[in-house]
Amino acid sequence: MKKALTLCGGGSLGAYEIGAAGYLHETKAEFDIYTGTSIGATNAVLLSSLPYDRVAELWNEVTLDKVIKNGFLPGAPSKEEWRSKWPKMGSFILSFLHRKFADMSPFADWLKEAIDPEAVVRGPKSVGIVTTSFPVLKEVDIVLNEVQPEDVIPYILASSAAYPIFPAYEYKGNRYIDGGYTNNLPVDLAFALGADEVIAIMLRAIPEVPQHIELLRLPNVKAVIPTHDTGTIFDFSPKTLRENTILGYLDCAKRFGKYWGHAYAFEKDGNIYRHAERFMTYLARETLEEYFAYEEICRFKPYPINRPLDLFLRPMEIVAANLKIDYLRPYAIKEFINILKKTIHTDYYMKKAEAFGKRKSFALGLKDDEVATFLAYAIRVIEHHESDLPLKKTSQVDPLAGVLYWLSRYLHQNGLV
């Protein structure tokens, strides 16, 4: 059985792939085949030919200066950032006007320092990368084990030529642009190289949805997909790279069973799982008419749901996101519940809950900024044994309000808060 790791294109978002690969390395997963496009091609070559710890070190050293000459790309920085970037911006603009493209020679130099082409070509791993012929825009697949060592770096650069920011890359009489134009997540290339199973790490880049997304539904393909916004493809700030690396690790760990959860990562707990099963039964008994609406609310696309856990954990995740609770760390579930309760029991939310309770009509759905407030009001009503008729009215027209109401009752009745 041959296993493949397929890596998506997406510039600086490639840090997410390194995080995911970190979890796979932790589990001692081994791959016979690596395929990738653009930054995914670079990561495929690095991971196939170097120890993981060395790859992580190389990514820790990455800055925009190592990708683009003068280390600047237009964006929307703050006034302070404008001041600090002004000298580089001027140099970048002059260079861009002269060349009509950004200068990616620093990236070529970084690749030459990081990669041993001989080890890639002669190595035991099959490595396939994708570029796009220009101007006809036809996919070109390159198997690096079948080329000469001196061809390795040029073909990686051809795969990474993000036109029109970078110029088309010319090599051996041909012109190439970024492989993302034709196949940004080359699962099919992994199968063509003999893979029986594929782990595909997707990035939300350009295009946001890869060209052959249907391949991720195959039974022998397991996809890891970002659960949160990962930013833009040229954000090489240390903070963003670090956060995306952590997110990649956590998302991969959730995908392969180390943690529960979707938007957040939860340590496994058998007692909590039993509570999740009981809560599903509790919901079906108390409010059968709305049960299936609650089930839909708890879906977290594109991943399939595990019903007992999702009906129990997803409402809490939704509230946590509303409260901007940190998602870049794993939680014990009881700890997570207590964090939510502590946050909601602040004077700020208690006052909002009191005002919320004075609304004239509860036969309205929740606005986006009312999710935490509604939960605070529900907790107050339950703890003070007040009438829950207003809560029930809201839950009848808003499934999220309903599942939060019933979850609050269950947690309180079972001593989990």
Side-chain angles (χ1 to χ4, degrees):
M1 293 285 288
K2 289 188 175 182
K3 294 184 178 181
L5 181 64
T6 294
L7 302 170
C8 193
S12 59
L13 306 185
Y16 179 90
E17 296 173 336
I18 299 305
Y23 175 73
L24 297 173
H25 171 72
E26 186 180 286
T27 62
K28 296 181 169 50
E30 295 187 2
F31 299 95
D32 308 287
I33 298 162
Y34 291 80
T35 63
T37 299
S38 197
I39 195 62
T42 298
N43 283 339
V45 171
L46 292 173
L47 291 167
S48 69
S49 60
L50 293 171
Y52 174 78
D53 289 346
R54 177 56 183 150
V55 178
E57 283 179 9
L58 287 166
W59 264 92
N60 284 335
E61 299 167 3
V62 169
T63 63
L64 191 54
D65 286 302
K66 291 184 181 290
V67 179
I68 297 169
K69 191 172 183 179
N70 299 313
F72 174 85
L73 273 178
S78 66
K79 290 180 180 180
E80 291 73 20
E81 290 173 316
W82 272 118
R83 292 190 191 101
S84 66
K85 291 182 178 181
W86 177 255
K88 286 184 177 181
M89 182 178 68
S91 299
F92 173 84
I93 291 172
L94 289 174
S95 174
F96 191 89
L97 291 174
H98 175 70
R99 298 168 54 89
K100 296 183 173 57
F101 298 99
D103 185 345
M104 66 186 298
S105 58
F107 181 56
D109 294 338
W110 184 80
L111 290 175
K112 290 171 186 175
E113 292 178 5
I115 293 170
D116 177 1
E118 191 78 32
V120 178
V121 174
R122 313 296 179 208
K125 312 296 184 181
S126 296
V127 184
I129 66 175
V130 174
T131 184
T132 302
S133 62
F134 185 79
V136 294
L137 300 184
K138 181 179 179 181
E139 179 179 341
V140 178
D141 298 337
I142 308 290
V143 181
L144 295 181
N145 313 82
E146 299 174 357
V147 303
Q148 296 302 310
E150 60 268 23
D151 296 328
V152 170
I153 301 298
Y155 280 130
I156 296 173
L157 292 170
S159 179
S160 307
Y163 185 88
I165 296 173
F166 299 128
Y169 190 83
E170 297 188 23
Y171 190 63
K172 291 187 174 181
N174 297 307
R175 300 176 75 199
Y176 303 98
I177 60 174
D178 199 291
Y181 277 91
T182 51
N183 191 355
N184 208 32
L185 186 62
V187 173
D188 51 343
L189 179 55
F191 285 129
L193 292 177
D196 299 295
E197 298 177 0
V198 177
I199 294 176
I201 314 298
M202 181 178 139
L203 302 176
R204 298 196 182 279
I206 302 173
E208 184 170 350
V209 177
Q211 287 84 351
H212 306 297
I213 191 69
E214 70 281 356
L215 296 178
L216 301 189
R217 299 200 302 267
L218 292 172
N220 53 346
V221 176
K222 291 185 177 179
V224 178
I225 302 172
T227 54
H228 294 267
D229 180 20
T230 45
T232 63
I233 64 173
F234 282 106
D235 184 354
F236 285 91
S237 64
K239 179 176 181 291
T240 300
L241 293 179
R242 182 175 63 255
E243 289 179 352
N244 282 340
T245 302
I246 295 170
L247 181 63
Y249 175 91
L250 291 174
D251 283 350
C252 195
K254 286 181 284 186
R255 184 69 176 92
F256 290 96
K258 179 177 181 178
Y259 298 122
W260 288 335
H262 294 296
Y264 289 81
F266 300 105
E267 296 168 2
K268 292 184 174 181
D269 183 327
N271 289 328
I272 292 295
Y273 190 87
R274 285 188 286 276
H275 274 295
E277 291 184 313
R278 291 174 195 153
F279 178 62
M280 186 172 68
T281 304
Y282 173 81
L283 263 182
R285 184 183 70 243
E286 296 289 342
T287 175
L288 187 59
E289 292 180 3
E290 297 156 30
Y291 175 85
F292 295 105
Y294 298 159
E295 187 181 52
E296 183 61 30
I297 281 292
C298 293
R299 293 185 186 277
F300 189 83
K301 297 176 182 179
Y303 292 116
I305 67 166
N306 179 325
R307 289 201 313 180
L309 282 173
D310 282 333
L311 284 171
F312 191 72
L313 296 177
R314 273 300 290 148
M316 290 188 275
E317 289 189 334
I318 293 169
V319 174
N322 194 255
L323 294 170
K324 295 181 170 47
I325 302 296
D326 181 18
Y327 56 83
L328 292 173
R329 52 156 292 196
Y331 292 91
I333 297 174
K334 288 186 178 179
E335 172 200 12
F336 192 74
I337 293 171
N338 286 330
I339 288 172
L340 294 183
K341 182 178 179 182
K342 184 177 179 180
T343 305
I344 284 172
H345 270 75
T346 59
D347 288 343
Y348 174 76
Y349 278 105
M350 288 298 102
K351 288 178 180 177
K352 289 189 74 172
E354 185 177 354
F356 185 87
K358 295 176 181 178
R359 281 172 52 170
K360 292 182 180 179
S361 174
F362 277 81
L364 298 171
L366 297 180
K367 299 176 183 177
D368 289 343
D369 61 353
E370 291 180 329
V371 173
T373 302
F374 177 84
L375 183 58
Y377 179 68
I379 290 173
R380 184 184 124 170
V381 167
I382 292 166
E383 288 181 344
H384 292 83
H385 306 287
E386 298 174 8
S387 170
D388 60 1
L389 183 59
L391 293 171
K392 289 183 177 179
K393 284 184 178 179
T394 304
S395 69
Q396 289 169 357
V397 297
D398 190 311
L400 176 57
V403 74
L404 289 174
Y405 164 63
W406 291 109
L407 180 62
S408 300
R409 285 180 60 94
Y410 181 87
L411 293 176
H412 187 263
Q413 291 172 5
N414 289 271
L416 291 174
V417 293

